[in-house]
Amino acid sequence: MTYRVAELIADSLMAHGVDRAFGVPGESFLPLLDALHDRPQLDLVTCRHEGSACLAAVADAKLTGRASVLMASRGPGAFNAALGIHVASQEAIPLILLVGQVDRPNLNRDAVQEIDCGRAFEGLLKWSIRLGAAAQVPEMMARAFSAAHTGTPGPVAVELPEDLLAEAADDLAVRTHGVAQPEASAAAVKKAGALLAAAERPIVLVGGECRSEEFRNDLVALSEKWNVPVAVTNKMQDQFPNDHLHWIGQLGFFTSPAHIKIFERADLIIAIGTRLGDLSSLGFEFPRQSSPRQPLVHVYPDPAAIGTHFQTDLPIVSSSASFVRNLLDQPASSRERTDWMRVVSITRSATHGWPTSGVPSGDVYGHVVAEIADHFRPNGIVTTDSGNFAGWVHRIFSFKPSGRLLGSACGAMGSGIPSGLSASLRFPDRQVIAFCGDGGFLMTGNELAVAVARRLEIKIVISNNQSYGTIRSHQERAFPNRPHGTDLSNPDFAALARAYGAAGYCISEARNVAGVVAEAMSVRGPVVIEVRSDVRQSLDKSLAAVSR
Ligand SMILES: Cc1ncc(C[n+]2csc(CCOP(=O)(O)OP(=O)(O)O)c2C)c(N)n1
């Protein structure tokens, strides 16, 4: 039997550690689907929209640390996937897009659904290639993976002309090229240690470049050995144990005035695994560039991401994991920093670990989040869509290194359900809870069909405030009492869930919270808990958050 290019591509994926791909099938890559038919080791998750499939792939890459794969048909499929491509680019997630393409003889002839991915997604993709001949497939597939991972990770597109997929590839074999792991020089690590030892009020700021449990444990050890508090960038709350004395909190949409003060007082910032974009730097104001300037040690695997926005005292091109490990190996001259740690502790207790009693009695949704947090297991996985409803999740949930939070760091709506899908597929035995607003749920909630088909253990909580509440709160701030275009009229979500074949619950009163949550959490398979929330509650909360 002839070995075809489609099979070579499938084998190349597996050689790069791909055991799952997401997508929507298309006539443009039938031979690839056929190749997967004989390769059950590679699980193809067929979704209901390429946008959510792509977001699910992004979430899977966050969970595994490896490039994930999206398969989409040409024009319509690729453009539907655009949201996930944008998110992968914004959040530096390695992603391989396999896009079916028209036959080679018809390229550049305006054939139906023809797309030029390189041009269509220019500025988002790290690299793109239109495969033109069988002989180049092994090298180009290997290069796609290297490009997705190297430096600042990101999305790469590989266009697959339909006729090429069916071509013979008998004399070809897969290749893997590997990825350079940049490591700091011993001198640079020593210098970082010296700066840290001399600082009175240092802060380590950690992004999402590495998310492994091993790295997180190393981070705790580093923080304790050097007696330095740790903050994280937006939606990275699971990177450091939230009950640790050295935990400060996260920068991002929900940064409190108390947090802002503590960042202003720091006399050294060691930023690890973050590109220090606007959300990670309080709108480019932290580290302060005006006098007195805050010294910055910036550690990132891509030299192009260092020294871009901030004067950098010690630029270090390194992966987060190896830098933290190397600094751990240095002899530490730990300082007491008693006053500094007291300020950290006051800030932390003011803004994190809210007791249930801190939730206003009328805020039913806040009580539901608190109740679910009581059921949350240490190795559970929380996913969040984007919106005001996530405020309570960040305040109430407490993460340990064994737990996971998958949120959209760049604030794209629609990621909650696809991320939950990925989490549940990757870790079928772990608790997975997805929080969404009514707006976000109806963007990608159709993937509930996939959750039901695969009997996934996923609990979905929808805050139904009949509003694009976040935008409404921005409107109230900018144009008081003139809401426009933000009201929503919704289906009965619990009934909708049942129509999909999931269990559906609805909570509208505080007195029902404990009973319904307990029952819903004990049900096997996908469960939807709709919470009838009041948009005015989230307005109050978000106004407090944005009035910083
Ligand atoms: C894909 C996408 N579209 C639009 C926005 C702008 N946006 C940010 S939050 C938000 C409203 C979220 O509403 P909902 O999901 O109901 O949550 P709520 O804020 O009401 O808690 C919108 C429209 C976005 N971030 N992402």
Side-chain angles (χ1 to χ4, degrees):
M1 256 193 30
T2 311
Y3 185 66
R4 297 167 300 169
V5 167
E7 291 162 285
L8 179 64
I9 289 172
D11 289 339
S12 171
L13 296 178
M14 293 194 294
H16 286 90
V18 176
D19 58 2
R20 175 164 294 130
F22 297 84
V24 174
E27 64 276 39
S28 52
F29 60 97
L30 293 178
L32 182 56
L33 293 170
D34 188 58
L36 295 179
H37 183 83
D38 296 328
R39 288 166 177 76
Q41 320 88 293
L42 203 164
D43 176 22
L44 176 62
V45 183
T46 300
C47 296
R48 311 310 281 260
H49 190 285
E50 291 85 350
S52 37
C54 200
L55 290 169
V58 165
D60 197 42
K62 289 180 183 175
L63 288 165
T64 63
R66 299 191 303 269
S68 55
V69 173
L70 174 86
M71 295 184 186
S73 197
R74 42 207 190 204
F79 276 107
N80 257 358
L83 174 60
I85 302 172
H86 168 73
V87 171
S89 168
Q90 286 257 311
E91 301 191 20
I93 303 298
L95 178 72
I96 307 287
L97 308 155
L98 296 179
V99 179
Q101 181 57 286
V102 300
D103 288 341
R104 282 167 295 175
N106 285 338
L107 281 167
N108 305 313
R109 300 173 82 184
D110 302 324
V112 69
Q113 301 181 1
E114 182 178 355
I115 183 176
D116 181 335
C117 285
R119 284 178 60 208
F121 302 116
E122 195 177 359
L124 297 180
L125 296 175
K126 285 195 70 187
W127 187 65
S128 71
I129 177 75
R130 174 175 296 169
L131 296 178
Q136 67 176 168
V137 171
E139 179 183 330
M140 293 305 150
M141 285 301 291
R143 184 168 169 189
F145 278 88
S146 303
H149 272 287
T150 307
T152 299
V156 164
V158 182
E159 289 180 15
L160 314 172
E162 201 179 334
D163 59 326
L164 175 65
L165 289 174
E167 228 173 58
D170 288 312
D171 52 347
L172 298 169
V174 297
R175 273 162 62 171
T176 55
H177 288 178
V179 177
Q181 292 298 337
E183 191 153 342
S185 68
V189 177
K190 206 169 160 200
K191 215 167 160 190
L195 286 169
L196 186 50
E200 281 176 21
R201 298 181 303 282
I203 287 179
V204 166
L205 174 64
V206 179
E209 188 257 318
C210 180
R211 302 168 200 236
S212 72
E213 199 172 331
E214 192 185 0
F215 167 69
R216 293 162 178 210
N217 288 328
D218 280 354
L219 204 56
V220 173
L222 179 87
S223 156
E224 290 172 354
K225 184 170 174 181
W226 287 86
N227 201 23
V228 56
V230 175
V232 295
T233 58
N234 192 37
K235 309 277 168 79
M236 299 297 161
Q237 203 174 323
D238 54 339
Q239 287 282 55
F240 197 79
N242 300 173
D243 55 359
H244 197 285
L245 277 177
H246 293 183
W247 162 245
I248 300 179
Q250 70 164 356
L251 296 183
F253 293 114
F254 301 105
T255 310
S256 73
H259 275 106
I260 290 167
K261 278 206 182 72
I262 202 171
F263 291 125
E264 281 170 357
R265 289 189 56 193
D267 67 354
L268 175 69
I269 288 115
I270 302 186
I272 304 172
T274 165
R275 285 172 291 169
L276 287 175
D278 57 344
L279 279 176
S280 321
S281 63
L282 298 174
F284 299 113
E285 288 187 1
F286 160 81
R288 196 174 46 243
Q289 298 293 282
S290 55
S291 180
R293 204 175 56 76
Q294 291 174 305
L296 171 66
V297 177
H298 192 177
V299 183
Y300 199 73
D302 184 357
I306 301 179
T308 35
H309 310 302
F310 298 99
Q311 185 170 337
T312 309
D313 300 80
L314 183 55
I316 295 181
V317 180
S318 171
S319 65
S320 311
S322 75
F323 174 76
V324 167
R325 188 109 285 281
N326 288 337
L327 192 53
L328 255 180
D329 290 343
Q330 290 275 313
S333 55
S334 167
R335 297 171 64 128
E336 276 297 314
R337 302 190 176 112
T338 317
D339 289 348
W340 186 229
M341 289 308 185
R342 198 168 45 237
V343 175
V344 167
S345 154
I346 292 166
T347 308
R348 183 184 46 246
S349 48
T351 47
H352 280 278
W354 274 43
T356 313
S357 57
V359 180
S361 58
D363 193 330
V364 178
Y365 172 72
H367 286 288
V368 170
V369 175
E371 190 67 29
I372 290 178
D374 281 347
H375 289 260
F376 187 58
R377 301 189 198 122
N379 75 342
I381 304 173
V382 168
T383 77
T384 54
D385 211 272
S386 228
N388 275 351
F389 67 87
W392 278 128
V393 180
H394 289 292
R395 285 182 186 180
I396 292 172
F397 270 75
S398 182
F399 292 93
K400 300 192 183 309
S402 53
R404 294 300 307 252
L405 169 68
L406 295 175
S408 170
C410 70
M413 290 167 73
S415 63
I417 303 298
S419 300
L421 208 67
S422 287
S424 200
L425 284 164
R426 188 59 63 193
F427 298 107
D429 299 328
R430 286 165 70 170
Q431 196 181 40
V432 176
I433 304 168
F435 288 94
C436 301
D438 45 345
F441 178 79
L442 281 185
M443 285 191 177
T444 53
N446 47 3
E447 301 304 342
L448 191 51
V450 179
V452 169
R454 295 214 173 207
R455 300 300 304 158
L456 298 180
E457 290 300 326
I458 174 172
K459 311 283 180 270
I460 297 168
V461 184
I462 305 172
S463 164
N464 178 6
N465 57 10
Q466 299 190 289
S467 173
Y468 284 127
T470 308
I471 307 307
R472 169 80 191 275
S473 62
H474 285 301
Q475 286 180 328
E476 290 297 340
R477 191 167 41 87
F479 304 100
N481 302 315
R482 291 173 60 80
H484 194 70
T486 44
D487 284 352
L488 294 175
S489 170
N490 289 316
D492 176 336
F493 288 109
L496 184 68
R498 289 192 284 271
Y500 272 99
Y505 294 86
C506 181
I507 302 176
S508 52
E509 292 178 54
R511 64 188 165 90
N512 297 332
V513 169
V516 176
V517 167
E519 186 181 330
M521 296 300 282
S522 68
V523 169
R524 304 282 298 167
V527 175
V528 170
I529 306 171
E530 172 189 355
V531 187
R532 300 266 164 91
S533 51
D534 184 341
V535 71
R536 283 168 305 181
Q537 296 285 355
S538 70
L539 288 184
D540 295 345
K541 248 197 341 273
S542 66
L543 282 175
V546 293
S547 64
R548 48 187 163 88

